[in-house]
Amino acid sequence: KADVDSKVVEIVEETMDGIFARANFDLSYDISSGENGDLVIEIFGNDQQNLIDREGQLLDAFQLYIKRVLQHR
């Protein structure tokens, strides 16, 4: 397993914390590295059902937003 860059983790943490705070979501997350060194974010909490409602559109939006934030930093 390759480690995820600490700067990438910091950017993701800042972004996720900001989104959750502004949206008033009761959610937490864990960040780890996947098999190929990919970033893995596990989201859990009382509002996690909101992420998968409507066929997971909000979760898809989070994934796209995090990807864009990382590409432009």
Side-chain angles (χ1 to χ4, degrees):
K1 250 186 180 180
D3 288 331
V4 177
D5 184 310
S6 63
K7 183 64 177 168
V8 169
V9 170
E10 182 181 327
I11 292 168
V12 171
E13 288 175 340
E14 289 173 7
T15 304
M16 297 295 284
D17 290 345
I19 291 170
F20 293 170
R22 284 177 184 84
N24 201 28
F25 284 134
D26 182 12
L27 294 170
S28 298
Y29 57 89
D30 287 328
I31 299 173
S32 61
S33 58
E35 293 290 322
N36 300 320
D38 296 336
L39 185 71
V40 176
I41 305 170
E42 293 182 62
I43 302 172
F44 49 90
N46 291 330
D47 290 329
Q48 73 184 38
Q49 185 62 39
N50 294 331
L51 299 176
I52 55 176
D53 283 347
R54 297 186 182 160
E55 298 179 3
Q57 290 177 356
L58 185 56
L59 184 57
D60 289 344
F62 275 162
Q63 291 173 335
L64 179 62
Y65 185 71
I66 294 293
K67 181 179 177 181
R68 294 291 186 247
V69 166
L70 291 172
Q71 287 175 339
H72 295 288
R73 290 253 178 144

